Amino acid sequence: GAGVSQSPRYKVAKRGQDVALRCDPISGHVSLFWYQQALGQGPEFLTYFQNEAQLDKSGLPSDRFFAERPEGSVSTLKIQRTQQEDSAVYLCASSLAVGGPRPQHFGDGTRLSIL
Amino acid sequence: AQSVAQPEDQVNVAEGNPLTVKCTYSVSGNPYLFWYVQYPNRGLQFLLKYITGDNLVKGSYGFEAEFNKSQTSFHLKKPSALVSDSALYFCAVRDPSNTGNQFYFGTGTSLTVIP
């Protein structure tokens, strides 16, 4: 596709429910990133994939957060037993190459609201 | 540790006047620096980047940024502001000496251009 696509755009869930957020990166992009953006803040790194390998998950806030990219393209961020503090915009970004100065290209995000 | 600071939460400028959005960074090595813009309910859009070389970098939509190593700054500038430039601006840094690939973002500066 022309850009990074994320779905759903909005998700409302009750506390304790599991949610799954999808990211479809730009075709051919090797690197894929997930960020969490709280209201009024900049994006905070969650995790990074190079193809299907999850090389860095140091930003995941708890073991309730899980991400996968099984075939090296589409990625899913899953949050189990959601809490109110999980409410945020979740941004996915992809980049053509590994490392280097290439910019990351962002999707429009999924706004998650936990009631 | 890598970090980015955007000292101004809000910048107001009259249409047609020059604008500056400030950013300072802290990295252990020579940084890759980026500016992104975010419109309401949208993802981040890449504006420009600094890798090495000329300290004045030109980017999209007439924006430019000046890298100053001694002051560890990377301020975003535009000679003549447009109302359509009103948005949220984020500075980001990546340390190429770090094996991680994530960007570190500032907290953002809300720019309002007054007609």
Side-chain angles (χ1 to χ4, degrees):
Chain A
V4 178
S5 178
Q6 291 187 247
S7 61
R9 286 296 317 277
Y10 303 92
K11 177 69 178 178
V12 179
K14 293 182 179 179
R15 187 163 57 96
Q17 289 183 329
D18 298 348
V19 298
L21 312 180
R22 177 190 168 102
C23 173
D24 201 336
I26 294 172
S27 179
H29 278 198
V30 170
S31 300
L32 186 145
F33 303 81
W34 283 98
Y35 292 86
Q36 181 190 60
Q37 186 177 19
L39 190 63
Q41 299 296 316
E44 296 276 349
F45 170 78
L46 294 176
T47 187
Y48 158 65
F49 289 86
Q50 178 182 325
N51 295 307
E52 70 278 3
Q54 188 175 20
L55 298 185
D56 187 346
K57 53 183 180 179
S58 61
L60 296 176
S62 78
D63 59 7
R64 296 186 295 104
F65 286 70
F66 171 76
E68 59 183 7
R69 193 186 186 197
E71 297 180 359
S73 56
V74 172
S75 177
T76 303
L77 177 67
K78 298 179 179 178
I79 309 174
Q80 298 176 327
R81 306 181 303 282
T82 53
Q83 303 293 318
Q84 282 194 321
E85 60 263 28
D86 300 335
S87 296
V89 175
Y90 290 85
L91 295 169
C92 176
S94 69
S95 181
L96 181 61
V98 176
R102 292 186 182 273
Q104 296 180 11
H105 301 271
F106 285 80
D108 286 339
T110 294
R111 183 177 297 276
L112 177 64
S113 299
I114 305 300
L115 305 179
Chain B
Q2 302 164 73
S3 67
V4 172
Q6 293 182 242
E8 301 159 318
D9 292 335
Q10 173 81 38
V11 170
N12 297 324
V13 64
E15 185 178 21
N17 281 4
L19 69 87
T20 298
V21 182
K22 296 180 181 177
C23 171
T24 59
Y25 65 90
S26 174
V27 297
S28 56
N30 295 315
Y32 296 146
L33 294 159
F34 302 80
W35 275 102
Y36 283 82
V37 61
Q38 187 176 35
Y39 295 98
N41 298 315
R42 300 298 301 276
L44 280 68
Q45 296 179 31
F46 169 71
L47 282 178
L48 51 78
K49 66 181 178 183
Y50 171 82
I51 306 169
T52 186
D54 193 350
N55 290 340
L56 186 64
V57 178
K58 294 190 182 296
S60 305
Y61 313 119
F63 284 93
E64 55 191 27
E66 186 170 11
F67 173 68
N68 187 317
K69 188 171 184 177
S70 64
Q71 297 184 4
T72 62
S73 68
F74 188 56
H75 300 332
L76 181 70
K77 300 182 179 184
K78 187 172 183 181
S80 178
L82 300 173
V83 173
S84 58
D85 293 330
S86 298
L88 196 54
Y89 290 82
F90 290 96
C91 182
V93 65
R94 181 178 173 269
D95 183 354
S97 66
N98 191 315
T99 55
N101 287 282
Q102 68 268 32
F103 287 10
Y104 295 87
F105 287 88
T107 53
T109 298
S110 179
L111 172 68
T112 299
V113 180
I114 303 165

